[in-house]
Amino acid sequence: MADIPMTDEECRLATERLSDQLDLYANLLVRKGVALREGQELVLQAPVERADFARRVVRAAYRHGAGHVTVIWADDVVSRLTYENCPLEFFEHTPSWQVEQLNSLAENGAAFLFLEGQDPSMLRGIDPAKPAAASRARNTECRSFRDGMDFGRNAWCIAGVPVQAWASEVFPELSPAEALYRLWVLILEVSRADGEDPESAWETHNASFEKTKRFLNGHAFDALRYEASNGTDLTVGLPEGHIWDGGAGRTQDGVTFFPNIPTEEVFTSPDRTRAEGVVHSALPLVHAGQIVRDFWLRFEGGQVVDFGAEQGREVLRHILETDEGSRRLGEVALVSKNTPIRQSDTLFYDTLYDENASCHLALGMGFPECVAGGTKLTKEGLLERGVNQSATHVDFMVGSDDLTITGVCADGTEVPVFVNGQWAWE
Protein backbone atom coordinates (compact mmCIF):
# COMPACT_ATOMS: atom_id res chain seq x y z
CA MET A 1 0.00 0.00 0.00
CA ALA A 2 2.87 2.39 0.78
CA ASP A 3 3.94 2.36 -2.87
CA ILE A 4 0.54 3.46 -4.20
CA PRO A 5 0.76 7.17 -5.10
CA MET A 6 -1.46 9.56 -3.17
CA THR A 7 -3.88 11.74 -5.08
CA ASP A 8 -3.65 15.50 -4.66
CA GLU A 9 -6.88 15.45 -2.66
CA GLU A 10 -5.49 12.77 -0.34
CA CYS A 11 -2.37 14.89 0.15
CA ARG A 12 -4.46 17.95 0.96
CA LEU A 13 -6.50 16.07 3.56
CA ALA A 14 -3.40 14.42 5.04
CA THR A 15 -1.68 17.81 5.37
CA GLU A 16 -4.78 19.23 7.07
CA ARG A 17 -4.58 16.39 9.59
CA LEU A 18 -1.06 17.59 10.48
CA SER A 19 -2.46 20.90 11.71
CA ASP A 20 -2.27 20.15 15.44
CA GLN A 21 1.23 18.73 15.03
CA LEU A 22 2.36 21.83 13.15
CA ASP A 23 1.12 23.97 16.04
CA LEU A 24 3.19 21.85 18.42
CA TYR A 25 6.20 22.33 16.13
CA ALA A 26 5.66 26.10 16.10
CA ASN A 27 5.45 26.10 19.90
CA LEU A 28 8.64 24.03 20.10
CA LEU A 29 10.56 26.55 17.99
CA VAL A 30 9.34 29.50 20.04
CA ARG A 31 9.55 28.00 23.53
CA LYS A 32 12.63 25.76 23.18
CA GLY A 33 14.31 26.79 19.95
CA VAL A 34 14.78 30.48 20.75
CA ALA A 35 13.45 30.23 24.35
CA LEU A 36 11.44 33.42 23.88
CA ARG A 37 11.02 35.50 27.02
CA GLU A 38 8.14 37.71 28.12
CA GLY A 39 8.22 41.03 26.29
CA GLN A 40 11.11 40.04 24.01
CA GLU A 41 11.29 40.83 20.29
CA LEU A 42 11.27 37.83 17.95
CA VAL A 43 12.78 38.18 14.48
CA LEU A 44 11.39 35.54 12.16
CA GLN A 45 12.93 34.90 8.74
CA ALA A 46 10.73 32.65 6.59
CA PRO A 47 10.18 31.64 2.95
CA VAL A 48 7.13 33.41 1.60
CA GLU A 49 5.90 30.07 0.27
CA ARG A 50 5.46 28.95 3.87
CA ALA A 51 3.59 32.02 5.07
CA ASP A 52 0.98 29.59 6.42
CA PHE A 53 3.44 28.12 8.91
CA ALA A 54 5.09 31.47 9.62
CA ARG A 55 1.70 32.71 10.83
CA ARG A 56 1.50 29.76 13.22
CA VAL A 57 4.88 30.80 14.65
CA VAL A 58 3.78 34.42 15.03
CA ARG A 59 0.62 33.32 16.85
CA ALA A 60 2.66 31.03 19.11
CA ALA A 61 5.11 33.86 19.85
CA TYR A 62 2.41 36.29 20.90
CA ARG A 63 0.68 33.63 22.99
CA HIS A 64 3.99 33.12 24.72
CA GLY A 65 4.33 36.82 25.52
CA ALA A 66 6.38 38.26 22.66
CA GLY A 67 6.70 42.03 22.84
CA HIS A 68 6.75 42.22 19.04
CA VAL A 69 7.44 39.94 16.07
CA THR A 70 9.36 41.20 13.03
CA VAL A 71 8.99 38.99 9.94
CA ILE A 72 11.60 39.06 7.18
CA TRP A 73 10.44 37.24 4.06
CA ALA A 74 12.66 35.24 1.70
CA ASP A 75 11.69 34.30 -1.85
CA ASP A 76 13.74 32.08 -4.17
CA VAL A 77 12.35 33.64 -7.36
CA VAL A 78 13.07 37.19 -6.25
CA SER A 79 16.54 36.18 -5.05
CA ARG A 80 17.39 34.65 -8.40
CA LEU A 81 16.05 37.66 -10.30
CA THR A 82 18.20 39.93 -8.15
CA TYR A 83 21.35 37.90 -8.81
CA GLU A 84 20.56 37.74 -12.54
CA ASN A 85 20.02 41.47 -12.96
CA CYS A 86 22.29 43.27 -10.49
CA PRO A 87 26.05 43.64 -11.03
CA LEU A 88 28.62 42.12 -8.72
CA GLU A 89 29.34 45.54 -7.20
CA PHE A 90 25.80 45.69 -5.78
CA PHE A 91 26.44 42.63 -3.59
CA GLU A 92 29.72 43.86 -2.15
CA HIS A 93 27.85 45.93 0.44
CA THR A 94 24.69 45.28 2.42
CA PRO A 95 22.10 48.06 1.99
CA SER A 96 22.36 50.45 4.93
CA TRP A 97 18.73 49.94 5.94
CA GLN A 98 19.32 46.18 6.26
CA VAL A 99 22.45 46.77 8.33
CA GLU A 100 20.50 49.10 10.62
CA GLN A 101 17.59 46.66 10.84
CA LEU A 102 19.62 43.60 11.83
CA ASN A 103 22.13 45.38 14.06
CA SER A 104 19.51 47.37 15.96
CA LEU A 105 17.35 44.29 16.56
CA ALA A 106 20.35 42.36 17.88
CA GLU A 107 21.51 45.24 20.06
CA ASN A 108 18.03 45.48 21.59
CA GLY A 109 18.12 41.82 22.63
CA ALA A 110 15.93 40.16 20.00
CA ALA A 111 15.80 36.40 19.49
CA PHE A 112 16.27 35.20 15.89
CA LEU A 113 14.37 32.29 14.35
CA PHE A 114 15.35 31.26 10.82
CA LEU A 115 12.87 28.99 9.00
CA GLU A 116 14.98 27.32 6.33
CA GLY A 117 13.43 26.06 3.11
CA GLN A 118 14.72 26.75 -0.38
CA ASP A 119 15.33 25.23 -3.78
CA PRO A 120 18.77 23.56 -3.52
CA SER A 121 19.50 24.61 -7.11
CA MET A 122 17.88 28.04 -7.11
CA LEU A 123 21.10 29.76 -8.21
CA ARG A 124 22.29 27.21 -10.73
CA GLY A 125 24.15 29.10 -13.46
CA ILE A 126 24.56 32.27 -11.38
CA ASP A 127 28.09 33.62 -10.98
CA PRO A 128 29.08 32.22 -7.55
CA ALA A 129 31.02 35.42 -6.85
CA LYS A 130 27.71 37.24 -6.31
CA PRO A 131 26.24 35.16 -3.45
CA ALA A 132 29.74 34.87 -1.98
CA ALA A 133 30.04 38.67 -1.95
CA ALA A 134 26.57 39.11 -0.45
CA SER A 135 27.32 36.65 2.35
CA ARG A 136 30.69 38.24 3.09
CA ALA A 137 29.17 41.74 3.17
CA ARG A 138 26.37 40.75 5.53
CA ASN A 139 28.70 38.95 7.92
CA THR A 140 31.23 41.80 8.04
CA GLU A 141 28.89 44.81 8.00
CA CYS A 142 26.14 43.48 10.27
CA ARG A 143 28.58 43.10 13.13
CA SER A 144 26.21 43.41 16.08
CA PHE A 145 23.89 40.86 14.48
CA ARG A 146 26.70 38.43 13.71
CA ASP A 147 28.55 38.86 17.00
CA GLY A 148 25.32 38.63 18.97
CA MET A 149 24.94 35.04 17.84
CA ASP A 150 28.63 34.12 17.77
CA PHE A 151 29.35 35.45 21.26
CA GLY A 152 26.15 34.30 23.00
CA ARG A 153 24.38 37.63 23.36
CA ASN A 154 21.29 36.64 21.34
CA ALA A 155 19.35 33.36 21.30
CA TRP A 156 18.79 31.96 17.83
CA CYS A 157 17.47 28.87 16.12
CA ILE A 158 17.51 27.43 12.58
CA ALA A 159 14.70 24.98 11.72
CA GLY A 160 13.27 23.61 8.52
CA VAL A 161 10.03 24.05 6.59
CA PRO A 162 9.32 22.44 3.19
CA VAL A 163 8.92 24.34 -0.07
CA GLN A 164 7.88 22.72 -3.31
CA ALA A 165 11.16 22.82 -5.22
CA TRP A 166 13.06 21.40 -2.25
CA ALA A 167 10.48 18.63 -1.70
CA SER A 168 10.64 17.61 -5.35
CA GLU A 169 14.45 17.45 -5.17
CA VAL A 170 14.26 15.13 -2.14
CA PHE A 171 11.41 13.00 -3.56
CA PRO A 172 11.71 13.26 -7.37
CA GLU A 173 9.64 10.12 -7.89
CA LEU A 174 6.53 11.58 -6.19
CA SER A 175 3.93 14.06 -7.39
CA PRO A 176 4.53 17.65 -6.23
CA ALA A 177 1.69 17.44 -3.70
CA GLU A 178 2.85 14.15 -2.23
CA ALA A 179 6.51 15.23 -2.15
CA LEU A 180 5.56 18.32 -0.13
CA TYR A 181 3.45 16.29 2.30
CA ARG A 182 6.13 13.63 2.72
CA LEU A 183 8.79 16.25 3.43
CA TRP A 184 6.58 17.85 6.09
CA VAL A 185 6.17 14.44 7.75
CA LEU A 186 9.91 13.74 7.57
CA ILE A 187 10.84 17.14 8.99
CA LEU A 188 8.54 16.56 11.96
CA GLU A 189 9.94 13.07 12.52
CA VAL A 190 13.65 13.93 12.45
CA SER A 191 12.99 17.08 14.50
CA ARG A 192 11.39 14.98 17.25
CA ALA A 193 8.24 17.03 16.75
CA ASP A 194 5.91 14.23 15.68
CA GLY A 195 4.78 13.17 19.16
CA GLU A 196 2.34 14.49 21.75
CA ASP A 197 4.95 16.52 23.66
CA PRO A 198 7.87 17.68 21.48
CA GLU A 199 9.16 20.00 24.20
CA SER A 200 9.64 17.12 26.63
CA ALA A 201 11.18 15.03 23.86
CA TRP A 202 13.79 17.73 23.39
CA GLU A 203 14.57 17.87 27.10
CA THR A 204 15.21 14.10 26.98
CA HIS A 205 17.24 14.40 23.78
CA ASN A 206 19.37 17.16 25.29
CA ALA A 207 20.26 14.96 28.25
CA SER A 208 21.58 12.30 25.85
CA PHE A 209 24.48 14.54 24.82
CA GLU A 210 25.96 14.65 28.31
CA LYS A 211 27.65 11.22 28.31
CA THR A 212 29.38 11.90 25.01
CA LYS A 213 30.58 15.34 26.07
CA ARG A 214 31.96 13.92 29.35
CA PHE A 215 33.92 11.28 27.40
CA LEU A 216 35.44 13.80 24.99
CA ASN A 217 36.09 16.57 27.51
CA GLY A 218 37.51 14.05 29.96
CA HIS A 219 40.13 12.85 27.49
CA ALA A 220 41.17 16.37 26.40
CA PHE A 221 42.60 15.01 23.15
CA ASP A 222 45.47 16.84 21.49
CA ALA A 223 44.30 15.80 18.02
CA LEU A 224 41.83 13.68 16.04
CA ARG A 225 42.90 11.47 13.13
CA TYR A 226 40.31 10.77 10.39
CA GLU A 227 40.67 7.78 8.04
CA ALA A 228 38.31 6.31 5.44
CA SER A 229 38.49 4.20 2.28
CA ASN A 230 37.47 7.17 0.10
CA GLY A 231 40.95 8.63 0.61
CA THR A 232 40.38 10.66 3.76
CA ASP A 233 43.57 10.78 5.84
CA LEU A 234 43.48 13.92 7.96
CA THR A 235 44.82 14.88 11.36
CA VAL A 236 43.21 17.87 13.09
CA GLY A 237 44.84 19.44 16.14
CA LEU A 238 42.73 20.66 19.06
CA PRO A 239 43.61 23.73 21.14
CA GLU A 240 44.55 23.55 24.78
CA GLY A 241 41.47 24.09 26.92
CA HIS A 242 39.03 23.20 24.16
CA ILE A 243 35.46 22.30 25.15
CA TRP A 244 33.11 19.89 23.40
CA ASP A 245 29.56 21.19 23.20
CA GLY A 246 26.27 19.98 21.75
CA GLY A 247 22.54 20.06 22.22
CA ALA A 248 21.34 23.22 23.93
CA GLY A 249 23.26 26.48 23.84
CA ARG A 250 23.30 29.16 26.50
CA THR A 251 23.42 32.92 26.20
CA GLN A 252 25.75 34.99 28.34
CA ASP A 253 22.81 35.88 30.58
CA GLY A 254 21.89 32.23 31.09
CA VAL A 255 19.06 31.56 28.62
CA THR A 256 19.08 27.96 27.36
CA PHE A 257 18.09 27.60 23.69
CA PHE A 258 18.56 25.19 20.76
CA PRO A 259 20.50 26.72 17.84
CA ASN A 260 19.56 23.87 15.50
CA ILE A 261 16.36 21.84 15.36
CA PRO A 262 17.18 19.07 14.58
CA THR A 263 20.62 18.46 16.04
CA GLU A 264 22.57 15.24 16.64
CA GLU A 265 26.14 16.56 16.85
CA VAL A 266 28.76 17.23 19.46
CA PHE A 267 31.32 19.76 18.30
CA THR A 268 34.30 21.88 19.17
CA SER A 269 36.64 24.32 17.46
CA PRO A 270 40.00 22.94 16.32
CA ASP A 271 43.37 24.64 16.37
CA ARG A 272 43.28 26.75 13.21
CA THR A 273 46.99 26.12 12.55
CA ARG A 274 46.99 22.33 12.91
CA ALA A 275 45.30 20.39 10.13
CA GLU A 276 47.38 18.09 7.94
CA GLY A 277 46.30 15.75 5.17
CA VAL A 278 43.38 15.17 2.82
CA VAL A 279 39.66 14.93 3.49
CA HIS A 280 36.97 13.81 1.03
CA SER A 281 33.30 14.77 1.17
CA ALA A 282 30.73 12.12 2.05
CA LEU A 283 27.63 14.06 0.94
CA PRO A 284 26.95 16.98 -1.42
CA LEU A 285 27.33 20.52 -0.13
CA VAL A 286 24.48 22.92 -0.91
CA HIS A 287 25.75 26.48 -0.57
CA ALA A 288 23.97 29.68 -1.61
CA GLY A 289 21.58 27.81 -3.88
CA GLN A 290 24.30 25.81 -5.65
CA ILE A 291 25.52 22.24 -5.25
CA VAL A 292 29.11 21.02 -4.80
CA ARG A 293 29.61 17.25 -5.20
CA ASP A 294 32.43 14.77 -4.67
CA PHE A 295 35.02 17.27 -3.49
CA TRP A 296 38.25 17.07 -1.54
CA LEU A 297 40.49 19.45 0.39
CA ARG A 298 44.21 19.16 1.17
CA PHE A 299 45.48 20.88 4.32
CA GLU A 300 49.00 21.90 5.28
CA GLY A 301 49.73 23.92 8.41
CA GLY A 302 46.00 24.25 9.02
CA GLN A 303 45.31 25.84 5.65
CA VAL A 304 43.71 24.48 2.47
CA VAL A 305 46.49 24.37 -0.13
CA ASP A 306 44.68 22.41 -2.86
CA PHE A 307 41.13 21.26 -3.61
CA GLY A 308 38.96 19.71 -6.29
CA ALA A 309 35.33 18.82 -7.02
CA GLU A 310 33.43 16.81 -9.61
CA GLN A 311 30.71 19.51 -9.59
CA GLY A 312 30.74 23.05 -8.24
CA ARG A 313 34.49 23.68 -8.03
CA GLU A 314 33.98 27.42 -8.62
CA VAL A 315 31.48 27.58 -5.75
CA LEU A 316 34.05 25.91 -3.50
CA ARG A 317 36.76 28.29 -4.71
CA HIS A 318 34.67 31.33 -3.75
CA ILE A 319 34.03 29.88 -0.30
CA LEU A 320 37.78 29.40 0.20
CA GLU A 321 38.54 32.92 -1.04
CA THR A 322 36.09 34.69 1.30
CA ASP A 323 38.98 35.83 3.51
CA GLU A 324 42.15 34.48 5.12
CA GLY A 325 40.20 32.48 7.69
CA SER A 326 37.95 30.75 5.16
CA ARG A 327 40.76 28.36 4.21
CA ARG A 328 41.03 27.14 7.80
CA LEU A 329 38.77 24.99 9.97
CA GLY A 330 36.45 26.50 12.56
CA GLU A 331 34.57 23.37 13.62
CA VAL A 332 34.88 19.62 14.02
CA ALA A 333 31.58 17.86 14.69
CA LEU A 334 30.94 14.21 15.46
CA VAL A 335 27.66 12.51 14.48
CA SER A 336 26.99 8.78 14.59
CA LYS A 337 25.41 7.12 11.58
CA ASN A 338 22.86 5.69 14.06
CA THR A 339 20.71 8.82 14.16
CA PRO A 340 17.14 9.41 12.89
CA ILE A 341 18.30 11.54 9.96
CA ARG A 342 20.91 9.03 8.77
CA GLN A 343 18.51 6.14 9.38
CA SER A 344 15.86 7.84 7.26
CA ASP A 345 18.18 7.08 4.31
CA THR A 346 17.28 10.45 2.82
CA LEU A 347 19.58 12.98 1.22
CA PHE A 348 18.02 16.33 2.14
CA TYR A 349 20.21 18.61 0.02
CA ASP A 350 20.15 20.96 3.01
CA THR A 351 23.03 21.40 5.44
CA LEU A 352 20.80 21.69 8.52
CA TYR A 353 19.69 18.10 7.99
CA ASP A 354 22.58 16.49 6.14
CA GLU A 355 25.14 17.70 8.70
CA ASN A 356 23.16 15.82 11.34
CA ALA A 357 23.46 12.61 9.34
CA SER A 358 27.24 12.72 9.14
CA CYS A 359 30.41 13.78 10.91
CA HIS A 360 31.35 17.14 9.47
CA LEU A 361 33.94 19.87 9.46
CA ALA A 362 33.44 23.57 8.80
CA LEU A 363 35.57 26.12 7.02
CA GLY A 364 35.62 29.56 8.58
CA MET A 365 34.46 30.99 11.89
CA GLY A 366 35.13 29.06 15.08
CA PHE A 367 33.09 29.08 18.28
CA PRO A 368 34.16 31.26 21.22
CA GLU A 369 32.28 29.01 23.65
CA CYS A 370 34.46 26.05 22.63
CA VAL A 371 37.52 27.23 24.54
CA ALA A 372 37.57 27.96 28.26
CA GLY A 373 36.64 31.61 28.82
CA GLY A 374 36.28 32.19 25.09
CA THR A 375 33.12 34.31 25.16
CA LYS A 376 35.00 36.94 27.14
CA LEU A 377 37.95 37.11 24.72
CA THR A 378 38.47 39.54 21.87
CA LYS A 379 38.87 38.20 18.34
CA GLU A 380 42.61 38.68 18.70
CA GLY A 381 42.52 36.70 21.93
CA LEU A 382 40.59 33.91 20.25
CA LEU A 383 43.11 33.78 17.42
CA GLU A 384 45.90 33.41 19.98
CA ARG A 385 44.02 30.46 21.48
CA GLY A 386 43.73 28.87 18.03
CA VAL A 387 40.05 29.64 17.35
CA ASN A 388 39.58 30.63 13.71
CA GLN A 389 38.06 33.98 12.71
CA SER A 390 36.27 34.51 9.39
CA ALA A 391 33.26 36.14 7.76
CA THR A 392 31.94 32.71 6.78
CA HIS A 393 31.14 29.34 8.33
CA VAL A 394 30.45 26.51 5.87
CA ASP A 395 29.80 22.97 7.09
CA PHE A 396 30.68 20.01 4.88
CA MET A 397 30.03 16.34 5.52
CA VAL A 398 32.85 13.79 5.83
CA GLY A 399 31.15 10.96 7.74
CA SER A 400 31.33 7.96 5.42
CA ASP A 401 30.04 4.60 6.65
CA ASP A 402 33.57 3.31 7.24
CA LEU A 403 35.02 6.46 8.84
CA THR A 404 37.43 5.82 11.68
CA ILE A 405 38.36 8.62 14.09
CA THR A 406 41.14 8.16 16.62
CA GLY A 407 41.74 10.50 19.52
CA VAL A 408 45.43 11.25 20.10
CA CYS A 409 46.38 12.32 23.63
CA ALA A 410 49.23 14.71 24.42
CA ASP A 411 51.44 11.77 25.46
CA GLY A 412 50.77 9.95 22.18
CA THR A 413 48.21 7.51 23.58
CA GLU A 414 45.56 6.67 21.00
CA VAL A 415 41.89 6.12 21.88
CA PRO A 416 39.22 4.88 19.41
CA VAL A 417 36.44 7.48 19.09
CA PHE A 418 34.66 6.36 15.90
CA VAL A 419 34.73 2.93 14.26
CA ASN A 420 32.89 2.36 10.97
CA GLY A 421 30.98 5.61 11.17
CA GLN A 422 29.69 5.24 14.73
CA TRP A 423 30.86 5.86 18.27
CA ALA A 424 33.39 3.23 19.36
CA TRP A 425 31.07 2.13 22.19
CA GLU A 426 28.12 1.58 19.84
Side-chain angles (χ1 to χ4, degrees):
M1 292 294 292
D3 294 330
I4 298 175
M6 298 173 68
T7 67
D8 286 0
E9 178 64 10
E10 288 171 335
C11 293
R12 184 185 67 80
L13 293 172
T15 302
E16 286 182 359
R17 288 193 290 272
L18 289 178
S19 181
D20 289 346
Q21 211 63 50
L22 295 179
D23 282 337
L24 290 175
Y25 184 43
N27 284 327
L28 171 70
L29 302 183
V30 169
R31 293 164 57 87
K32 294 295 184 181
V34 296
L36 194 69
R37 292 170 289 173
E38 184 78 24
Q40 189 179 18
E41 173 98 29
L42 175 66
V43 181
L44 173 65
Q45 180 175 301
V48 69
E49 188 178 327
R50 281 280 70 79
D52 51 356
F53 184 73
R55 294 180 190 120
R56 292 178 188 264
V57 172
V58 173
R59 280 194 291 269
Y62 281 125
R63 282 199 303 267
H64 193 56
H68 181 257
V69 180
T70 294
V71 181
I72 300 173
W73 298 107
D75 183 86
D76 285 352
V77 175
V78 170
S79 294
R80 183 174 181 92
L81 287 168
T82 303
Y83 283 116
E84 284 177 339
N85 290 282
C86 294
L88 175 61
E89 293 74 23
F90 173 82
F91 301 101
E92 292 175 344
H93 293 282
T94 303
S96 59
W97 66 268
Q98 290 184 343
V99 174
E100 174 63 21
Q101 179 189 49
L102 292 174
N103 283 345
S104 64
L105 287 165
E107 290 164 4
N108 289 324
F112 292 86
L113 175 57
F114 306 94
L115 296 182
E116 186 166 287
Q118 66 176 21
D119 178 356
S121 300
M122 72 169 181
L123 297 185
R124 180 179 292 155
I126 295 294
D127 178 2
K130 291 182 177 181
S135 176
R136 181 170 57 249
R138 175 166 159 154
N139 286 333
T140 55
E141 295 173 359
C142 301
R143 287 297 350 155
S144 294
F145 166 68
R146 187 72 252 178
D147 288 350
M149 292 184 291
D150 288 342
F151 287 84
R153 292 192 280 271
N154 298 88
W156 57 280
C157 175
I158 304 173
V161 291
V163 296
Q164 188 61 71
W166 178 26
S168 294
E169 184 84 42
V170 176
F171 299 112
E173 73 284 1
L174 301 180
S175 71
E178 186 171 357
L180 192 64
Y181 167 68
R182 295 295 183 192
L183 187 53
W184 250 137
V185 170
L186 193 54
I187 285 173
L188 293 173
E189 287 178 353
V190 300
S191 300
R192 291 177 166 80
D194 58 339
E196 295 181 358
D197 190 354
E199 295 179 43
S200 293
W202 271 83
E203 291 292 343
T204 302
H205 181 44
N206 192 46
S208 72
F209 288 95
E210 296 307 313
K211 172 187 173 183
T212 304
K213 290 191 290 187
R214 282 197 302 272
F215 168 81
L216 293 167
N217 287 323
H219 278 85
F221 293 121
D222 178 65
L224 297 177
R225 187 171 68 247
Y226 293 70
E227 298 171 291
S229 61
N230 63 9
T232 290
D233 186 357
L234 178 72
T235 299
V236 179
L238 302 175
E240 185 177 351
H242 70 273
I243 297 169
W244 288 90
D245 206 348
R250 186 179 294 271
T251 63
Q252 290 189 22
D253 55 0
V255 175
T256 298
F257 66 100
F258 288 94
N260 291 166
I261 291 180
T263 185
E264 304 289 343
E265 64 180 297
V266 291
F267 60 90
T268 192
S269 286
D271 185 331
R272 64 190 299 272
T273 67
R274 297 171 57 211
E276 303 287 340
V278 177
V279 64
H280 288 255
S281 64
L283 293 170
L285 165 64
V286 178
H287 180 74
Q290 302 186 76
I291 298 176
V292 186
R293 296 181 189 271
D294 299 324
F295 61 95
W296 56 270
L297 303 169
R298 181 182 299 279
F299 288 85
E300 292 179 6
Q303 191 168 20
V304 175
V305 295
D306 197 9
F307 64 96
E310 288 297 313
Q311 176 186 338
R313 189 179 188 280
E314 278 299 288
V315 178
L316 187 57
R317 181 175 70 82
H318 282 286
I319 293 170
L320 292 167
E321 292 179 354
T322 300
D323 53 31
E324 195 278 333
S326 59
R327 286 181 171 265
R328 299 180 182 273
L329 294 175
E331 177 186 6
V332 293
L334 306 183
V335 183
S336 171
K337 64 184 181 183
N338 300 318
T339 60
I341 296 176
R342 185 64 163 264
Q343 296 301 307
S344 74
D345 199 29
T346 301
L347 179 60
F348 282 85
Y349 296 99
D350 184 282
T351 300
L352 173 65
Y353 295 91
D354 291 334
E355 75 169 6
N356 283 296
S358 169
C359 288
H360 54 276
L361 304 168
L363 295 163
M365 185 72 176
F367 301 120
E369 68 270 25
C370 286
V371 290
T375 58
K376 300 185 185 306
L377 294 176
T378 63
K379 291 182 179 181
E380 292 72 22
L382 288 166
L383 283 170
E384 289 178 5
R385 295 285 298 277
V387 179
N388 198 34
Q389 300 297 296
S390 175
T392 193
H393 180 95
V394 179
D395 299 281
F396 62 97
M397 283 58 77
V398 301
S400 58
D401 281 344
D402 66 348
L403 177 68
T404 294
I405 302 176
T406 303
V408 182
C409 300
D411 64 2
T413 302
E414 297 188 353
V415 179
V417 177
F418 261 62
V419 177
N420 290 326
Q422 60 188 0
W423 294 106
W425 55 81
E426 290 182 293

